[in-house]
Amino acid sequence: VLLGVAVVVSVGVTLLLLWATHRSRQRSRGAAVGQVNGRALVWIAGGIVTPAVVLALTVHSYRVGASVYTPLDPAGDVLTVEVVGHQFWWEVRYPAYGVSSANELHIPAGRSVRVLLRAEDVIHSFWVPQLQGKLDMIPGHTTELWIEADEPGLFRGQCAEYCGMSHALMALWVIAHPQSEFEAWIARRSTPTAEPADPLVQRGRDVFFDAECHLCHATRAWPTPSAEGGTPGPDLTHVASRRSLAAGTLPNNRGSLAGWIADPQRLKPGVRMPPTHLPPEELRALLAYLESLE
Ligand SMILES: [Cu+2]
């Protein structure tokens, strides 16, 4: 609507301008041109038409905005999730299930999802253009957004408020599942998993603690380091099942994992994770452990 009205107004103004130019040319050639009541034209165009158009567009825009931000089905079967913005990643929590994750928001398709937004450090902004408009995530203040995916699918989100050096590398995947698949996803994440049987993986878990990764990362072997006030780093309990690493920055494979652990700053400047240099044997074990976290 805005584009259509803008085109009509622009064409109208351009035609008037051409008409005025044409008249003044004719006059300078000495041809007789009829009189125009310029004052009346200014009053009508400037005093009536312009305010009327602007007012109509404002009313229209408010109505669209109100319908877009209105809860879809607040009384119905609503799923509430919490998304917390960190420099430069997303913490995702499902309070109803006691499940937490990072950088991926899994939702059931066709169901209203209430997203509670917070920020841990600076202002971020939650923006998944295919699902909803953007909304700021503010430290110390919870904002609320409603989304619903009509069909199962994959939707890319992006932090939309400049939040520091790697703001551009702060992406989010929203994955909409059919309801039964979503329940299976939640179930897989809420059941505790068995101790690793593979000796290499066991060794890797020890390296994870020796290298002090657990100070910032929760895993199934180690619950959330500081549940209140968010975690310093993403929950790694199921890191191997994620589509990407470091909030959409790297493909999730062994090579990027190894590069990330050795030098996160080079891959994501300003990132709040220190580099870790490990002997090859320890690194191999650590990678095997991380890859076992599905
Ligand atoms: Cu940002």
Side-chain angles (χ1 to χ4, degrees):
V1 170
L2 292 184
L3 181 65
V5 171
V7 166
V8 169
V9 168
S10 305
V11 167
V13 169
T14 310
L15 287 178
L16 280 175
L17 202 63
L18 290 175
W19 178 64
T21 317
H22 176 72
R23 277 170 58 88
S24 82
R25 232 195 244 158
Q26 277 189 320
R27 187 182 293 135
S28 66
R29 277 208 217 99
V33 286
Q35 274 296 318
V36 174
N37 187 343
R39 191 174 290 241
L41 192 66
V42 167
W43 272 111
I44 292 170
I48 298 174
V49 176
T50 303
V53 167
V54 171
L55 192 70
L57 285 181
T58 307
V59 170
H60 176 76
S61 167
Y62 269 105
R63 285 182 45 184
V64 171
S67 73
V68 164
Y69 283 98
T70 298
L72 291 160
D73 185 11
D77 182 21
V78 168
L79 173 73
T80 299
V81 298
E82 294 173 14
V83 179
V84 185
H86 296 258
Q87 283 173 321
F88 306 94
W89 60 282
W90 313 82
E91 181 182 349
V92 177
R93 298 181 183 178
Y94 298 81
Y97 304 99
V99 167
S100 77
S101 181
N103 300 326
E104 281 182 5
L105 176 56
H106 292 253
I107 59 170
R111 205 167 137 195
S112 295
V113 180
R114 180 162 154 245
V115 191
L116 300 178
L117 302 170
R118 289 192 291 117
E120 200 49 54
D121 32 42
V122 298
I123 300 179
H124 301 271
S125 178
F126 181 90
W127 190 34
V128 186
Q130 283 166 287
L131 297 179
Q132 183 55 289
K134 44 181 99 155
L135 191 67
D136 274 6
M137 313 168 82
I138 302 159
H141 176 73
T142 301
T143 47
E144 183 182 304
L145 195 73
W146 291 77
I147 58 175
E148 183 172 327
D150 299 329
E151 301 286 335
L154 185 64
F155 309 93
R156 193 187 153 96
Q158 177 72 37
C159 179
E161 177 69 54
Y162 180 73
C163 59
M165 267 224 265
S166 278
H167 160 67
L169 298 175
M170 184 170 165
L172 170 81
W173 288 110
V174 177
I175 298 140
H177 300 276
Q179 177 72 30
S180 59
E181 202 180 292
F182 172 75
E183 275 156 20
W185 184 86
I186 286 283
R188 222 170 31 251
R189 268 144 196 86
S190 32
T191 37
T193 28
E195 277 288 288
D198 184 341
L200 186 65
V201 174
Q202 285 173 354
R203 172 89 182 97
R205 189 196 46 195
D206 295 342
V207 174
F208 188 83
F209 287 94
D210 294 343
E212 300 188 334
C213 313
H214 67 295
L215 294 184
C216 297
H217 294 291
T219 62
R220 64 183 166 215
W222 177 258
T224 314
S226 67
E228 210 28 65
T231 53
D235 189 317
L236 297 184
T237 310
H238 297 282
V239 67
S241 69
R242 291 211 253 282
R243 311 185 64 81
S244 57
L245 291 176
T249 307
L250 302 164
N252 191 356
N253 58 40
R254 176 167 271 239
S256 352
L257 259 182
W260 174 258
I261 292 167
D263 196 356
Q265 297 293 328
R266 195 173 52 81
L267 299 165
K268 200 166 173 179
V271 78
R272 301 191 156 186
M273 169 162 154
T276 306
H277 299 291
L278 295 169
E281 173 267 325
E282 289 186 15
L283 180 61
R284 258 197 307 277
L286 179 60
L287 292 174
Y289 173 61
L290 292 173
E291 283 173 339
S292 79
L293 300 173
E294 290 209 292

